[in-house]
Amino acid sequence: MFPALEINLSAIEDNVRRVVEFCTSYGINVVGITKGACGEPKVAKAILRGGVQILGDSRIQNIIKMKESNVKAEFMLIRSPMISEVESVVKYAEYSLNSELKVLEQLSKASLEYGRRHKAIIMVDVGDRREGIMPNEFVPFLKEAKKLKGVEIVGVGTNLGCFGGVLPTPRNHEMLKKLTEKVKYILGIENPIISSGGTVVLNLLEREQSSYGINQLRIGEGILLGTDSTGNRTIPWLRQDTFTLKAEIVEVKWKPSLPEGPVGKDAFGNTPIFEDLGIRKRAILALGKQDTEISGLFPLYSGVKVLGGSSDHTIIDITESKVPLDVGDIVKFKLSYSAMLRGMTSPYVHKAYI
Ligand SMILES: *Cc1c(COP(=O)(O)O)cnc(C)c1O
């Protein structure tokens, strides 16, 4: 069945094993982030086989799915909990990442009600400008959070490279280290969790050969794809043969590379721009924006170029393809993180595990 996403579980397991080995050498515990794979239990189990104990996901539904599929791990909700979901959060997740007192109060109430002991990591914004309290608000926040009976504050965390594309540096990690001293002092705990993420932080560790005091790293993209999109690199010591998208050709024709006639907007409101390359051999794939992110497709056959697409069609130029391609043939692609995410989310994409 096509389109299909082929998922190589042993390649993912290998990646986890390598990341765990690398991080352990710096005294860092790895949290395997499953959101890119929609919390798919088979992927989660492969991640656990690679040697992690904690799995993190941004959606409580994914965590529930994993728990119900007998995935034996501790779970961390990595998106700030919605107040409307705190009951599920304390029931299904051992940890959550937090930056709002209002939410912590509700988590506390819910965990007392259900007899749970929920562990919270306080997120600080050290520059990326997504979630997290500002460093100068940290101490008063922590003093308030400490009063809550139902949640245990176990550490401090940050996230990098997600919204602002901010890279991890010695400076933003020193900020985190300083806040850790406050955590130790205010909460009276010896070994708080100092959590950082995501994959882009691997680059800092490799370059600086220092952990900067962090003892937990949340990694998704690196283990799922072997790439680091914020750092704009393929991680040379990880495998990239983890996810492969396969799509079927439904038309092959020689056509002029320029459209003919007055040009308006494309199906998504953009004005398309084309280069005149003369008459080209083009193929249409039964694959579109409902299945994946077309700009995140990288053909595995040399000479094949992705031109673009719409909801249900992807156009590729096969004039220079080294492999002869015809209607009914299958074309394979490597994927960017968002192309993988969309593929995993789409009900139209068949999933095959090898
Ligand atoms: C997505 C996410 C991660 C993992 O990021 P990758 O770049 O995929 O490794 C870590 N922490 C949080 C809070 C996230 O949302």
Side-chain angles (χ1 to χ4, degrees):
M1 275 202 292
F2 299 102
L5 198 49
E6 200 174 80
I7 304 151
N8 184 339
L9 296 172
S10 61
I12 295 171
E13 181 183 333
D14 266 352
N15 280 349
V16 177
R17 194 167 290 118
R18 289 173 200 182
V19 168
V20 166
E21 190 183 335
F22 176 76
C23 288
T24 304
S25 71
Y26 288 101
I28 295 171
N29 201 5
V30 176
V31 177
I33 302 299
T34 50
K35 69 179 182 215
C38 293
E40 167 53 49
K42 290 189 189 72
V43 173
K45 286 177 183 169
I47 294 175
L48 292 178
R49 285 196 296 275
V52 311
Q53 280 87 41
I54 308 178
L55 296 176
D57 203 289
S58 48
R59 310 266 170 168
I60 196 69
Q61 296 97 310
N62 289 350
I63 291 177
I64 294 172
K65 179 167 69 182
M66 289 188 270
K67 274 225 152 127
E68 287 179 347
S69 306
N70 215 17
V71 176
K72 297 240 179 309
E74 286 197 293
F75 289 95
M76 177 186 280
L77 182 68
I78 61 168
R79 182 173 69 186
S80 307
M82 292 187 264
I83 287 176
S84 58
E85 67 183 3
V86 289
E87 282 86 7
S88 311
V89 176
V90 300
K91 272 195 208 162
Y92 296 102
E94 282 76 16
Y95 297 88
S96 62
L97 304 181
N98 286 274
S99 57
E100 289 288 354
L101 276 171
K102 249 180 143 171
V103 176
L104 283 169
E105 281 160 14
Q106 295 306 314
L107 282 172
S108 175
K109 223 174 109 195
S111 61
L112 291 174
E113 204 169 302
Y114 291 97
R116 308 280 162 144
R117 194 95 190 105
H118 189 70
K119 291 179 265 197
I121 292 173
I122 307 301
M123 295 299 276
V124 183
D125 183 342
V126 296
D128 195 51
R129 302 292 178 258
R130 199 179 72 180
E131 74 271 45
I133 53 182
M134 295 304 286
N136 61 337
E137 288 161 8
F138 186 68
V139 170
F141 187 100
L142 205 56
K143 286 181 173 163
E144 282 305 308
K146 190 190 166 183
K147 296 178 188 161
L148 301 168
K149 296 278 178 291
V151 281
E152 185 185 354
I153 312 293
V154 293
V156 57
T158 199
N159 195 57
L160 289 156
C162 268
F163 176 68
V166 167
L167 298 170
T169 60
R171 188 166 176 275
N172 49 36
H173 277 76
E174 286 297 335
M175 270 161 88
L176 200 59
K177 209 169 158 184
K178 274 203 195 123
L179 297 176
T180 308
E181 293 309 311
K182 306 218 160 105
V183 173
K184 287 186 190 168
Y185 181 71
I186 294 170
L187 301 179
I189 49 177
E190 291 272 319
N191 293 308
I193 293 174
I194 310 159
S195 185
S196 188
T199 296
V200 66
V201 177
L202 286 176
N203 208 354
L204 177 79
L205 302 179
E206 286 172 54
R207 210 175 53 230
E208 304 283 335
Q209 305 201 337
S210 162
S211 73
Y212 290 97
I214 65 168
N215 55 25
Q216 182 181 82
L217 196 53
R218 307 176 311 270
I219 300 200
E221 184 184 352
I223 57 182
L224 295 176
L225 288 172
T227 54
D228 165 10
S229 42
T230 307
N232 191 24
R233 66 170 186 149
T234 295
I235 302 171
W237 47 281
L238 293 178
R239 290 174 65 169
Q240 288 79 39
D241 59 338
T242 47
F243 285 78
T244 308
L245 186 66
K246 296 172 162 181
E248 184 173 332
I249 297 177
V250 292
E251 182 190 292
V252 174
K253 305 244 179 269
W254 288 89
K255 291 188 187 184
S257 39
L258 287 184
E260 186 177 323
V263 171
K265 304 247 187 218
D266 69 13
F268 291 84
N270 306 308
T271 306
I273 296 164
F274 296 98
E275 197 184 342
D276 189 1
L277 299 168
I279 307 279
R280 305 288 291 178
K281 190 177 186 185
R282 293 147 62 110
I284 298 180
L285 297 167
L287 175 78
K289 296 190 188 193
Q290 301 204 70
D291 308 296
T292 191
E293 167 85 39
I294 294 170
S295 61
L297 295 177
F298 308 106
L300 282 171
Y301 302 144
S302 77
V304 173
K305 216 179 139 222
V306 178
L307 300 177
S310 52
S311 330
D312 306 288
H313 301 80
T314 297
I315 323 283
I316 56 176
D317 185 318
I318 57 171
T319 319
E320 277 145 42
S321 174
K322 298 282 182 287
V323 183
L325 291 171
D326 205 348
V327 175
D329 287 344
I330 304 302
V331 183
K332 294 185 191 180
F333 299 90
K334 275 204 317 183
L335 305 166
S336 72
Y337 191 85
S338 51
M340 165 188 67
L341 189 71
R342 281 246 218 123
M344 285 304 290
T345 316
S346 174
Y348 300 113
V349 177
H350 177 72
K351 319 294 188 289
Y353 297 89
I354 55 167

